[in-house]
Amino acid sequence: MSARTACEDVRLVFNVNGVRFEAWKSVLERHPDTLLGGEEKEGFYNIFTGEYMFEDQDPDLFRYILSYYRTNKLHFPPTGCVRSYNQQLSFFGIMPELIDDCCYEHWRQKNAKEVTRSKIRRPGELALNGVLDQTCRKKMNDLLQVAVHNQTATDVLRYLGCYFVLSAVICTILESLKVTENRRFRETYHWIFDVVDPFFTVFFSVEYILRVLLAQSSLQFVRSVSGVIDLFVILSYILNFLRGVNSTVRSILSLTRIFRTLKILQYAKVSHGVRCLYHTLRTLAGELVYLMIGIALVSVTFATIFYYFEKQVPNTSYNSIPSSFWFTIVTMTTLGYGDLIPMTPQGKLLAGICALAGVILMSVPVTIIVTTFNRCYRSSTFKGTDGDADDNESMEPFSVSMPKRIPDSAR
């Protein structure tokens, strides 16, 4: 900074929770879209002390914020709390994409770990935890206080729901069995289903109504995947009580029974391991998509070569590239149905290479998935031993997506 510029510039003082920092105004104005670089900081100015007061901010993290203005490089503290750091960035209007390359990967891993940890709920949590702001909701909440706060009562409700869901799935399986050549289990022992179907209908209907009334947003729940599954499960049982319905319409509506088996996926989250697996796959969704694209590209390549190798063979089964594509898929996944086999020597050689390529491609994500699952499981187990204090506060971190890196030349 030249002497003339220094004379014209203004030194600003920031009081961050009792710790004072100084910075030139021209340095801060390099980033006008942020809090300190724009006019919004004037709302924190104290006319009596001549300082900008940030009493609720962390002075240790503020050093990294101020360093960003001076050096144009945003770093992440090696031992800092990623949630607090994200909150500081949000407060001062700095995007996480601007974190420098030396620290970005460390921040991304810690942030993904924190997001995964916050989303794994304890088994005692049910869907009866909405914002109760109306009189009806408050009365229902009072009736369910024991179930919400008493761990034993919560376990009873949870396992009761699992029992009904498992019973419904078992009945769905049994009714598809053939007792005789022309009669199925439901038609032969219809009296069993005449007894259990009303119980299932009442239970799932009451559960659905409670979920709608006690959800934070009833409309959002109805539109959600879970809400749609619950609704179709109820419709599948109501269908059993309808009479005089056209057979074609009934056969179409009977497809709603598929949702009875999907219902069990909701209660599968009771298992701690299942929840960890779900969030592991969700965390690695991007990597798994890239893997699928790679497998598709390799499969198309092999299928094309197979087609031209085998199409000259009389009565060949490789009559098109899509049929060859089916062979490459079952070969790369080491499934090997045996419905298609190469006949030419070059085709057999290529089939061996295809199988080896499939083994290599399939083994790559296994280590990543297992490592992520173990880290997720340990993190959630550690959280579960922290006591009950965490249950009463929101564990959602500052929502930061995994953005693409901004090249240094674009900053």
Side-chain angles (χ1 to χ4, degrees):
M1 182 181 295
S2 63
R4 180 178 179 181
T5 304
C7 295
E8 296 176 354
D9 206 350
V10 179
R11 186 186 296 272
L12 304 181
V13 181
F14 301 95
N15 189 326
V16 183
N17 201 12
V19 181
R20 289 178 172 80
F21 298 87
E22 296 182 355
W24 293 105
K25 184 177 181 180
S26 61
V27 174
L28 302 179
E29 289 178 347
R30 297 174 184 173
H31 304 280
D33 296 332
T34 62
L35 175 63
L36 299 183
E39 299 296 331
E40 296 181 2
K41 66 177 179 296
E42 300 302 327
F44 298 90
Y45 185 73
N46 190 322
I47 59 176
F48 299 103
T49 61
E51 301 173 340
Y52 292 89
M53 307 296 294
F54 298 101
E55 299 178 352
D56 298 331
Q57 307 307 314
D58 189 344
D60 294 331
L61 296 178
F62 185 78
R63 302 177 191 275
Y64 293 88
I65 302 296
L66 200 58
S67 175
Y68 166 69
Y69 288 94
R70 294 171 176 169
T71 64
N72 203 33
K73 292 183 179 295
L74 182 61
H75 295 283
F76 175 70
T79 59
C81 173
V82 66
R83 192 192 313 176
S84 299
Y85 183 77
N86 290 336
Q87 291 174 350
Q88 293 291 311
L89 295 183
S90 175
F91 179 81
F92 289 103
I94 301 175
M95 296 185 297
E97 298 95 317
L98 298 173
I99 298 177
D100 202 59
D101 293 336
C102 62
C103 302
Y104 182 81
E105 186 62 25
H106 179 51
W107 170 85
R108 188 188 69 82
Q109 293 178 358
K110 294 194 67 173
N111 185 74
K113 183 178 179 180
E114 180 65 25
V115 172
T116 302
R117 180 191 303 175
S118 67
K119 289 183 178 180
I120 298 179
R121 302 302 183 187
R122 294 189 177 183
E125 296 184 5
L126 296 177
L128 309 178
N129 55 357
V131 179
L132 309 178
D133 52 355
Q134 299 180 5
T135 304
C136 178
R137 295 186 180 184
K138 289 182 179 179
K139 290 182 179 180
M140 296 182 67
N141 183 54
D142 293 337
L143 294 174
L144 295 169
Q145 279 297 329
V146 177
V148 173
H149 296 290
N150 188 300
Q151 185 64 32
T152 302
T154 301
D155 290 339
V156 171
L157 287 179
R158 185 173 69 252
Y159 289 112
L160 181 63
C162 290
Y163 169 77
F164 272 94
V165 171
L166 289 175
S167 300
V169 172
I170 292 174
C171 289
T172 303
I173 296 173
L174 290 177
E175 69 180 14
S176 65
L177 296 177
K178 277 191 175 182
V179 179
T180 61
E181 185 65 27
N182 299 322
R183 294 179 65 85
R184 296 188 180 274
F185 189 91
R186 185 181 185 91
E187 298 172 354
T188 305
Y189 303 98
H190 61 86
W191 57 270
I192 298 178
F193 297 94
D194 292 340
V195 174
V196 298
D197 282 354
F199 283 100
F200 291 145
T201 305
V202 172
F203 177 81
F204 291 129
S205 299
V206 171
E207 181 198 27
Y208 180 76
I209 294 173
L210 290 178
R211 286 177 181 268
V212 172
L213 293 178
L214 301 180
Q216 294 183 358
S217 174
S218 299
L219 183 60
Q220 183 178 359
F221 171 77
V222 172
R223 293 178 177 179
S224 65
V225 177
S226 179
V228 172
I229 292 176
D230 289 343
L231 181 60
F232 275 99
V233 168
I234 298 173
L235 292 178
S236 68
Y237 284 105
I238 295 178
L239 176 65
N240 296 329
F241 301 103
L242 297 180
R243 297 291 183 268
V245 180
N246 184 278
S247 59
T248 303
V249 177
R250 178 177 288 274
S251 61
I252 296 176
L253 295 178
S254 63
L255 294 176
T256 57
R257 295 177 182 176
I258 298 175
F259 290 91
R260 297 182 190 178
T261 56
L262 296 179
K263 179 73 176 177
I264 199 172
L265 297 178
Q266 296 178 344
Y267 282 88
K269 293 183 179 181
V270 171
S271 171
H272 179 67
V274 172
R275 293 199 312 276
C276 288
L277 179 61
Y278 168 76
H279 289 291
T280 297
L281 296 177
R282 188 172 181 178
T283 302
L284 299 176
E287 289 79 357
L288 293 177
V289 169
Y290 289 132
L291 173 66
M292 295 301 176
I293 294 176
I295 293 176
L297 293 176
V298 175
S299 299
V300 170
T301 303
F302 277 114
T304 305
I305 300 175
F306 268 119
Y307 170 68
Y308 287 104
F309 277 0
E310 300 290 330
K311 72 174 185 176
Q312 304 298 335
V313 178
N315 300 323
T316 181
S317 300
Y318 298 88
N319 48 23
S320 65
I321 292 180
S323 63
S324 302
F325 183 74
W326 164 252
F327 173 77
T328 58
I329 288 295
V330 297
T331 302
M332 292 181 64
T333 56
T334 67
L335 189 58
Y337 275 122
D339 53 345
L340 293 177
I341 57 174
M343 303 301 295
T344 62
Q346 62 269 25
K348 294 178 181 180
L349 176 62
L350 186 63
I353 299 175
C354 179
L356 292 176
V359 171
I360 295 174
L361 280 176
M362 295 302 173
S363 62
V364 168
V366 172
T367 304
I368 302 175
I369 294 175
V370 171
T371 303
T372 306
F373 177 82
N374 290 336
R375 184 171 65 246
C376 171
Y377 190 88
R378 289 195 301 268
S379 300
S380 59
T381 303
F382 175 77
K383 176 187 174 184
T385 59
D386 289 341
D388 296 333
D390 293 341
D391 293 342
N392 298 327
E393 59 185 41
S394 175
M395 293 300 296
E396 292 293 338
F398 173 72
S399 178
V400 180
S401 60
M402 294 294 113
K404 295 182 178 179
R405 298 292 291 116
I406 296 180
D408 293 335
S409 58
R411 294 182 181 179

